[in-house]
């Protein structure tokens, strides 16, 4: 009986230590997600304004720019997949990977060759375990996205998109990420980044924003050459920020759930320990009473 009590007490100490860790991680995620939300809010107006400007030029200039022109025969499609670098965030990364698998299956059904670009150690590990190849990999800043990384990814994507497919280029670019709605709602989402679509998601411009009241200096092509790379970088950075906020919100929920479960386990083991202790005391009393009775009878 004493060994059982020691076992329960050891379990209580172990679960208590784990609970301290999960509670600390929950508090850290809660503090970071506030900053991540603010970063999303601050980046969204710039992304929308840039989208309106690019949309206006693309709509009213009648300019056939490589980044805005639909290709007739799409052979290769790039898929950028954004996951986390660390675990302990519930189903955050697995949801993004599942969404990317659905997109990859659909693109292949359409007869397109899929070229993955991986962001985050979770999806990198997923592809490595299955011995799949990828065009490029980035990791290390999923919680704190850097615009330098967004620019690096954007430059690589624009280069590959403007390269002929026979030379390793791609015909279209999709992004799979988690869109941050609220603290309790984050949804895996897919957008087509290139060729430019001016009606995508929440960054779509309003009709009244597309009035043809623009003159282009030195010319529409030069304006598009300057704006489109900035547009790609801004959209990628906004996706990375939304993914970071979603990851932190998911980690906060997961750590809160783990802390709550640890508290329940501590209550359970404490109750079992008390029951074992009571049973031990009852047995000791019974042995004392039995011994006393035997002694009295012997006299």
């Amino acid at each position: 009986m004493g060994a059982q009590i020691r076992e329960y007490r050891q379990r209580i100490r172990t679960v208590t230590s784990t609970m301290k860790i999960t509670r600390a991680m929950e508090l850290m995620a809660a503090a970071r997600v506030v900053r991540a939300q603010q970063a999303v809010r601050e980046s969204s107006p710039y992304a929308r304004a840039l989208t309106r400007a690019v949309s206006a030029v693309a709509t009213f200039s009648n300019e056939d720019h490589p980044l805005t022109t639909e290709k007739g025969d799409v052979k290769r499609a790039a898929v950028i997949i954004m996951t986390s670098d660390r675990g302990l965030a519930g189903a955050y990364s697995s949801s993004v990977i599942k969404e990317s698998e659905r997109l990859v299956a659909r693109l292949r059904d359409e007869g397109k060759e899929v070229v993955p670009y991986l962001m985050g150690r979770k999806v990198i590990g997923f592809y490595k375990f299955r011995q799949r190849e990828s065009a490029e990999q980035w990791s290390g800043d999923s919680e704190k996205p850097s615009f330098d990384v967004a620019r690096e990814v954007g430059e690589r994507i624009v280069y590959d998109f403007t390269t002929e497919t026979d030379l390793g280029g791609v015909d279209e670019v999709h992004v799979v990420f988690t869109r941050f709605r609220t603290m309790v709602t984050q949804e895996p989402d897919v957008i087509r980044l290139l060729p430019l679509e001016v009606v995508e998601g929440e960054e779509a411009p309003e009709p009244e924003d597309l009035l043809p009241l623009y003159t282009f200096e030195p010319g529409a092509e030069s304006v598009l050459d300057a704006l489109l790379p900035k547009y790609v970088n801004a959209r990628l950075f906004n996706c990375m920020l939304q993914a970071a906020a979603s990851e932190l919100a998911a980690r906060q929920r997961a750590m809160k759930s783990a802390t709550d479960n640890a508290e329940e386990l501590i209550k359970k083991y404490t109750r079992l320990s008390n029951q074992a202790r009571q049973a031990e005391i009852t047995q000791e009393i019974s042995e004392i009473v039995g011994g006393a009775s035997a002694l009295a009878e012997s006299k």
Side-chain angles (χ1 to χ4, degrees), residues 141-261:
D141 65 342
S142 69
E143 288 188 15
K144 295 181 180 179
S146 164
F147 188 77
D148 290 337
V149 175
R151 181 167 53 239
E152 179 183 341
V153 177
E155 289 174 353
R156 172 64 188 273
I157 289 300
V158 170
Y159 175 80
D160 288 353
F161 184 76
T162 53
T163 301
E164 294 293 331
T165 54
D166 296 338
L167 301 176
V170 296
D171 298 317
E172 61 185 22
V173 180
H174 302 266
V175 182
V176 186
F177 69 107
T178 305
R179 189 178 292 278
F180 184 87
R181 302 289 187 185
T182 64
M183 281 296 297
V184 295
T185 306
Q186 301 89 40
E187 302 171 349
D189 198 4
V190 178
I191 63 171
R192 197 187 78 178
L193 187 64
L194 294 172
L196 173 67
E197 286 184 327
V198 301
V199 292
E200 290 178 1
E202 297 176 352
E203 291 82 9
E206 298 296 331
E208 59 269 18
D209 294 329
L210 297 182
L211 297 177
L213 301 177
Y214 298 90
T215 56
F216 308 118
E217 295 292 343
E221 183 177 2
S222 299
V223 173
L224 285 173
D225 286 340
L227 281 180
L228 283 171
K230 296 181 183 297
Y231 163 81
V232 171
N233 296 344
R235 288 298 302 274
L236 282 171
F237 188 51
N238 186 260
C239 291
M240 292 167 63
L241 291 174
Q242 294 207 47
S246 300
E247 175 187 347
L248 291 168
R251 180 165 292 116
Q252 181 187 1
R253 289 199 310 275
M255 291 300 97
K256 184 180 187 308
S257 177
T259 302
D260 294 342
N261 290 338

